[in-house]
Amino acid sequence: MPEEFETGEVVAVRGAVVDVRFSTDRLPPIDSALTIEAEDIASGDVLNGHANGEPLVLEVHSHLDTRTVRAVALQATAGLKRHVAARATGRPVTVPVGDAVLGRLLDVRGAVRDKGEVLSADTPRRGIHNPPPPLIQSESGAGGGLFETGIKVIDFFAPLSQGGKAAMFGGAGVGKTVLVMELIHAMVEKYRGISVFAGIGERSREGHELLTEMDRSGVLPRTVLVYGQMNEPPGARWRVPMTALSIAEHFRDEKHQNVLLLMDNVFRFLQAGAEISSLLGRLPSRVGYQPTLASEVAALEERIASASGAAVTAIQAVYVPADDFTDPAVTAISSHMDSVIILSRALAAEGFYPAVDPLASSSVLLDPGIVGDEHYRLAERARQALARFKELQDIIALLGVEELGPEDRLTVRRARRLQRFFSQPFVVTEAFTGMAGQSVSRADTLKGVEAILDGDADGWAEDSLYMIGTLDDAAQKDAASKAAGSRKDAAA
């Protein structure tokens, strides 16, 4: 049983930061929860979220002196006044875990937000602050192995690992959320574990779309959605990843089930931390970020580990502010990743989706001992062709392809076909593109890349390789295009 603590009194409210004074020096521990009853918050405020009788939850951040603590609110503090009572629980915020939360949408405190039935009182709960598993107990992906996604450019240039961590970095509007949604959909058949999705600081519209898409595709019964949205206070966005991790850890440790953890968007977690840091009065660090940036990222990422014979595979979307990949938040997150997937605005502008930059993306798994000699050799050849094409683009723009030497012209022809081959229609965009989504095995991807590099597709139209699945689809598309052209010429 947690130690009993006295009830304190609110003495200051500064946005999401609340100071609470106690009558004795027995202060509640750091990261423990304080609660303020809904009836003690001024009524009539539709923004405060407490009209339905839910208490306001605070989390102790620091001890200011022997009798005063500074806490961060996990909900809006509108209507909160000084001198109201704040009860110390003596334990961290706890959230419901286990099979009961599958198919449900929760907030940072574990409250149900999908307008469904309330969870039963005997639902097991777990604190949101837990240490990572000891290094001696951690496992490299619980047996490891490649984690095929069915997305050609990812499986080929930046393969993911079972139990690994991958991040997709990109600026606004280059397709991070669509890629996350497609990964969820593509893994329904292949992935027999539990999915936990953390929506950090995203728009309400995106959350609604994801919930609808998951329900339609049949993924929802094995998925838990945890949201701290853009319109919520920084405390909620700051702790939502911890809530999602606690749920994932329960399935890993207690149920020994593999877990797919998806987070969109991790940058918003650090952005909320910067807001909290500013409200706490800390001096900012580089580019205005909080001085605790590196330790906050490490505390989150080190908990994503495989143990107890089960793997936690994490795929994270990361917003890149102003497309600056040297931003401190971006570099701090990337240092913890096994696979780094870079989304390019230039490729998105040219209509290549997914807009993954194969030259900037990388993975520790792209090694002959893991993916095999053939895959590694083809990846090196493909990268060389694409890199040479990139070097020649300025010359092509000024003088045209005809001014290049025969060898460079051949390289450019094949690199352009490779670019188009790595585009791929997604299931989640069928309603917008009118094209059926495609999932491609790694073996078919290798076969297609080798054929293009060996010149088997030199005589095909470039458009026949655009937005297709396998090379066989491209062959059919090219044959159909040539047949249509012949009929048009005959009619003329």
Side-chain angles (χ1 to χ4, degrees):
M1 293 292 292
E3 185 181 357
E4 290 295 325
F5 290 91
E6 292 191 4
T7 298
E9 177 188 32
V10 173
V11 293
V13 181
R14 289 180 298 279
V17 176
V18 179
D19 292 349
V20 180
R21 181 175 295 139
F22 292 83
S23 58
T24 69
D25 58 3
R26 291 180 60 253
L27 298 181
I30 302 296
D31 290 336
S32 65
L34 308 176
T35 59
I36 299 174
E37 296 303 323
E39 55 264 26
D40 292 332
I41 301 173
S43 60
D45 290 294
V46 294
L47 296 178
N48 61 21
H50 310 292
N52 55 4
E54 294 178 357
L56 171 65
V57 178
L58 314 173
E59 187 179 78
V60 176
H61 183 273
S62 60
H63 295 170
L64 296 183
D65 54 42
T66 58
R67 296 196 176 184
T68 310
V69 301
R70 179 157 288 170
V72 174
L74 301 188
Q75 298 136 281
T77 56
L80 178 62
K81 299 179 180 179
R82 291 185 297 166
H83 309 304
V84 302
R87 185 177 65 84
T89 64
R91 61 179 183 270
V93 175
T94 61
V95 295
V97 294
D99 294 339
V101 299
L102 290 175
R104 308 306 300 269
L105 189 150
L106 311 175
D107 65 11
V108 65
R109 300 171 299 110
V112 174
R113 293 296 182 218
D114 54 13
K115 298 183 179 179
E117 294 182 5
V118 178
L119 298 174
S120 64
D122 59 354
T123 303
R125 301 183 74 89
R126 186 182 179 110
I128 66 171
H129 295 287
N130 301 296
L135 193 59
I136 195 170
Q137 294 179 12
S138 297
E139 302 168 11
S140 179
L146 292 177
F147 194 78
E148 287 195 28
T149 65
I151 299 173
K152 292 179 289 188
V153 67
I154 293 177
D155 288 340
F156 187 75
F157 287 109
L160 312 185
S161 66
Q162 180 85 359
K165 286 179 277 195
M168 295 175 293
F169 296 90
V174 294
K176 296 185 300 299
T177 300
V178 170
L179 199 51
V180 168
M181 291 172 66
E182 182 66 16
L183 283 167
I184 294 170
H185 192 279
M187 292 171 187
V188 177
E189 297 301 326
K190 301 175 184 179
Y191 191 80
R192 297 298 178 186
I194 301 297
S195 297
V196 179
F197 179 87
I200 311 167
E202 291 301 288
R203 301 167 185 84
S204 301
R205 170 186 57 80
E206 291 175 339
H208 178 71
E209 287 176 359
L210 183 64
L211 180 63
T212 304
E213 172 64 25
M214 283 186 163
D215 192 27
R216 185 184 65 81
S217 60
V219 190
L220 195 58
R222 297 186 64 78
T223 303
V224 186
L225 301 173
V226 187
Y227 269 93
Q229 296 181 130
M230 191 177 284
N231 61 329
E232 295 189 56
R237 289 177 272 127
W238 193 40
R239 289 312 189 202
V240 153
M242 308 304 178
T243 300
L245 264 172
S246 298
I247 295 170
E249 287 167 344
H250 174 83
F251 285 111
R252 179 196 68 192
D253 299 336
E254 306 300 329
K255 303 282 188 177
H256 306 294
Q257 290 177 288
N258 291 338
V259 181
L260 174 63
L261 177 66
L262 300 121
M263 291 195 278
D264 186 10
N265 177 314
V266 181
F267 176 80
R268 304 295 181 198
F269 158 71
L270 294 177
Q271 195 176 45
E275 292 178 45
I276 295 290
S277 182
S278 177
L279 288 168
L280 292 169
R282 293 180 185 149
L283 288 174
S285 182
R286 285 195 305 153
V287 200
Y289 285 109
Q290 60 269 45
T292 54
L293 174 72
S295 59
E296 286 182 16
V297 173
L300 174 67
E301 298 295 346
E302 290 304 312
R303 283 179 62 182
I304 304 172
S306 300
S308 307
V312 176
T313 304
I315 300 174
Q316 308 169 30
V318 184
Y319 168 70
V320 179
D323 290 341
D324 179 14
F325 287 90
T326 64
D327 186 87
V330 175
T331 55
I333 296 168
S334 62
S335 64
H336 292 269
M337 296 298 132
D338 301 319
S339 302
V340 173
I341 300 164
I342 304 295
L343 297 175
S344 164
R345 188 171 300 282
L347 288 173
E350 292 181 47
F352 294 118
Y353 289 101
V356 175
D357 186 341
L359 298 177
S361 302
S362 62
S363 172
V364 296
L365 277 80
L366 195 58
D367 182 275
I370 300 173
V371 298
D373 291 330
E374 182 191 14
H375 186 158
Y376 184 77
R377 177 180 55 82
L378 285 173
E380 288 296 297
R381 287 181 63 192
R383 277 213 169 105
Q384 287 172 5
L386 292 169
R388 183 58 180 161
F389 175 45
K390 188 175 182 179
E391 290 172 3
L392 295 170
Q393 280 183 326
D394 288 342
I395 297 173
I396 294 169
L398 290 170
L399 305 175
V401 179
E402 295 76 13
E403 297 301 316
L404 300 176
E407 187 177 341
D408 282 340
R409 280 204 302 272
L410 187 63
T411 300
V412 168
R413 185 183 303 123
R414 291 175 182 173
R416 286 174 62 87
R417 282 164 173 75
L418 274 178
Q419 271 190 336
R420 283 151 180 78
F421 176 69
F422 283 119
S423 65
Q424 186 172 342
F426 283 171
V427 173
V428 295
T429 58
E430 283 180 9
F432 309 104
T433 63
M435 291 183 281
Q438 298 278 351
S439 178
V440 183
S441 68
R442 187 169 68 101
D444 285 338
T445 301
L446 296 181
K447 178 183 171 184
V449 171
E450 185 171 31
I452 292 169
L453 290 173
D454 289 344
D456 294 352
D458 285 355
W460 298 358
E462 289 181 355
D463 285 348
S464 65
L465 291 145
Y466 179 68
M467 283 293 175
I468 49 93
T470 65
L471 199 67
D472 292 339
D473 296 336
Q476 293 173 11
K477 190 175 178 181
D478 184 69
S481 176
K482 287 176 179 176
S486 301
R487 287 195 297 270
K488 186 175 180 182
D489 291 341

